[in-house]
Amino acid sequence: MSKPTIGIALLGLGTVGQGVWKHLADKRSDLETRLGVRLDMRGVAVRNLRRTRSVRLPKQKLTTDSVALIDDPKVDIVIELIGGTTVARKLVLRALRAGKTVITANKALLCDHGPEILAAAQASGGKLLFEGSVGGGIPIIKSLREGLVANRFDLIVGIVNGTSNYILTRMGEDGLDFETALKEARTHGYAEADASLDVDGIDAWHKASILAFLAHGKWAPRARTLVEGIRNVRSADIDFARKFGYTLKHLAVVRRDFKAGWMSVGVYPALVPSDNILAKVSGVNNGITLRGDVVGSTTLAGRGAGGDATASAVLGDLVDAILARTRGGIVDADLHALTRAGKSLRMADEDEIVSPFYLRMTLRDTHGVLAGIYRIFAQHKVSIARVVQYEHPDKGTGTLTLSTYPASERNIAKVVAELSRAKTVLEEPMLLRIFAT
Ligand code: HSE
């Protein structure tokens, strides 16, 4: 019996696209033997035919006409790696509606147009795979949808932005400044084309939102999600963290209270106890802990960004897609139906989100200042745990760093608002969360 041929189209030849091309070329005959098919790379759609790229591919495979490539009747599987949400949305929907299987690593697309895309995927028989959208090479989506599917998760916490983790590691362990560390991350191909997506927390929010949806069936609205990046982190924060047994990490935190019926989603820099497994996830690595009612805590860690890691996830999806096409299965269970499961869930309000906090502020260094500061905390029922002050007598200022006992987001927001108005506080205070399980 002759082997079936699977036609593949690649949209986009950036860092991840080049990784996919390279590793698919290397592994092609292994994959063909393992899957019992012949792989036919029909073409690669790019914006610029002349751009120099690190992978070599025959000129006739390149095209600027993505639509014609998708419409090619011999294309069965479309791998979307162009990023962005406008053109990518149209192309993904077109491919799904034509009955092709779509593989994407586009977290922004899923996050901004999730319901529409999942509905189209459902109508196409579930032909949508997106392992590369979260966690780089870590099979986190497969774990949630398959291996750990028997669980209800009250906590998902992880380091999901490789660029931020790389920057914080280089600042904390090697004393680099923020800009130099970011430049390095770009050189390694970790950062998004617009690096503010990384350092301002948007990329992590996209990923947290996908994880929250897969676990709980609800897309967290941006307005009800705390989204903070690492741009304002200073070495004083990293020092304080270290002094008191913490490591500063950028976290994505999804909590669910099954009794009260709420979910909370936040991404922010946080002080993580140094003995927590996530504190040891350094450099470009991502690490995600899932706490399930059946399995307990499970942590997955590995390279979270870069062409090779994400290509590994995309090729994993490709194998699943081919198996589903050739063995008559659907690619996945009905994801759209998850949305119904999340209908009764609400987002937590500010009284329900509680944690210890860390604050750094620059103060006018004169008598009575601290008494005034402490009064503000007391008024809003926030209890101070530890205090470290750095004096700068030549400037007449001091840097006050402190941690609190657990307090609600509402109460700490009142404290920060009042501190910001105080004449003795010279700059906007820096507020960080302290992660507690
Ligand atoms: N810019 C992303 C990161 C790439 O740094 O994690 C993977 O999504």
Side-chain angles (χ1 to χ4, degrees):
M1 210 173 73
S2 71
K3 289 180 172 179
T5 298
I6 301 290
I8 300 166
L10 184 58
L11 311 181
L13 200 54
T15 308
V16 180
Q18 291 180 63
V20 167
W21 181 273
K22 180 175 121 202
H23 294 294
L24 193 50
D26 282 357
K27 301 283 157 56
R28 181 182 179 145
S29 79
D30 286 358
L31 291 176
E32 286 183 337
T33 310
R34 186 183 278 255
L35 297 166
V37 298
R38 211 179 69 74
L39 300 178
D40 178 12
M41 284 306 291
R42 303 290 303 164
V44 181
V46 293
R47 255 196 318 223
N48 179 353
L49 293 172
R50 271 185 274 281
R51 202 172 132 197
T52 328
R53 299 180 169 93
S54 65
V55 289
R56 286 177 160 271
L57 65 171
K59 255 201 188 128
Q60 69 275 15
K61 292 283 178 200
L62 286 180
T63 175
T64 52
D65 192 345
S66 322
V67 169
L69 184 58
I70 292 171
D71 291 351
D72 172 354
K74 290 196 170 152
V75 164
D76 303 295
I77 298 175
V78 175
I79 305 178
E80 183 277 306
L81 298 171
I82 57 177
T85 57
T86 313
V87 177
R89 171 179 160 271
K90 283 194 193 132
L91 298 177
V92 163
L93 289 173
R94 186 178 187 98
L96 286 172
R97 285 172 185 152
K100 323 250 164 174
T101 305
V102 173
I103 296 170
T104 180
N106 192 334
K107 53 252 160 178
L109 178 68
L110 294 166
C111 207
D112 289 3
H113 301 287
E116 182 186 27
I117 293 189
L118 294 184
Q122 185 199 19
S124 82
K127 297 192 185 79
L128 175 75
L129 291 158
F130 47 93
E131 186 64 68
S133 64
V134 186
I138 305 170
I140 181 67
I141 291 179
K142 216 173 170 51
S143 301
L144 265 171
R145 288 164 82 172
E146 297 175 24
L148 300 175
V149 74
N151 291 270
R152 303 210 301 174
F153 301 98
D154 69 336
L155 172 68
I156 300 174
V157 53
I159 295 165
V160 295
N161 184 261
T163 301
S164 297
N165 203 40
Y166 183 86
I167 293 172
L168 290 177
T169 304
R170 295 290 276 146
M171 285 171 74
E173 291 177 11
D174 309 308
L176 254 66
D177 63 58
F178 177 88
E179 291 300 336
T180 313
L182 172 58
K183 208 186 258 170
E184 279 190 5
R186 274 181 184 288
T187 313
H188 292 307
Y190 304 151
E192 298 297 306
D194 170 6
S196 80
L197 293 174
D198 294 304
V199 300
D200 293 322
I202 315 295
D203 175 80
W205 168 58
H206 289 148
K207 292 167 177 169
S209 182
I210 292 171
L211 294 180
F213 173 74
L214 289 173
H216 305 302
K218 185 176 182 72
W219 292 101
R222 171 75 170 79
R224 302 292 305 273
T225 309
L226 183 71
V227 180
E228 287 176 9
I230 60 164
R231 210 182 270 281
N232 298 325
V233 168
R234 298 283 173 270
S235 50
D237 307 321
I238 296 175
D239 281 354
F240 179 95
R242 196 175 286 140
K243 231 177 228 131
F244 291 106
Y246 297 103
T247 306
L248 219 151
K249 293 287 179 192
H250 188 264
L251 294 185
V253 185
V254 179
R255 289 187 190 273
R256 169 131 182 214
D257 185 323
F258 287 94
K259 270 201 193 122
W262 58 251
M263 164 174 99
S264 70
V265 180
V267 301
Y268 42 75
L271 280 67
V272 177
S274 297
D275 59 358
N276 185 294
I277 192 164
L278 295 179
K280 297 174 178 63
V281 174
S282 61
V284 70
N285 288 309
N286 283 190
I288 303 165
T289 298
L290 306 124
R291 190 166 68 197
D293 58 344
V294 183
V295 74
S297 275
T298 298
T299 301
L300 293 96
R303 272 160 72 199
D308 291 340
T310 312
S312 169
V314 169
L315 293 183
D317 276 353
L318 183 65
V319 167
D320 283 350
I322 293 171
L323 286 174
R325 288 195 86 96
T326 55
R327 308 213 174 151
I330 54 162
V331 177
D332 212 324
D334 181 358
L335 269 182
H336 188 58
L338 254 180
T339 313
R340 288 193 286 278
K343 277 259 156 64
S344 56
L345 194 57
R346 66 181 173 85
M347 297 303 290
D349 67 37
E350 289 185 323
D351 292 317
E352 290 166 312
I353 308 175
V354 172
S355 75
F357 290 90
Y358 157 92
L359 273 115
R360 165 172 50 82
M361 53 207 123
T362 305
L363 303 176
R364 203 182 298 286
D365 201 359
T366 175
H367 55 84
V369 169
L370 284 186
I373 300 285
Y374 291 160
R375 202 172 308 121
I376 294 175
F377 281 80
Q379 259 163 17
H380 298 292
K381 301 190 173 53
V382 177
S383 177
I384 294 171
R386 283 168 169 152
V387 180
V388 178
Q389 190 174 341
Y390 304 86
E391 72 274 37
H392 314 298
D394 47 329
K395 295 189 200 145
T397 66
T399 302
L400 183 71
T401 54
L402 60 82
S403 65
T404 74
Y405 288 100
S408 71
E409 289 283 344
R410 190 181 306 281
N411 285 351
I412 201 76
K414 287 183 194 158
V415 169
V416 172
E418 208 160 320
L419 288 171
S420 308
R421 285 194 298 268
K423 287 204 173 63
T424 50
V425 178
L426 300 177
E427 287 165 9
E428 188 64 21
M430 170 71 161
L431 175 74
L432 297 174
R433 283 141 195 97
I434 299 179
F435 176 70
T437 50

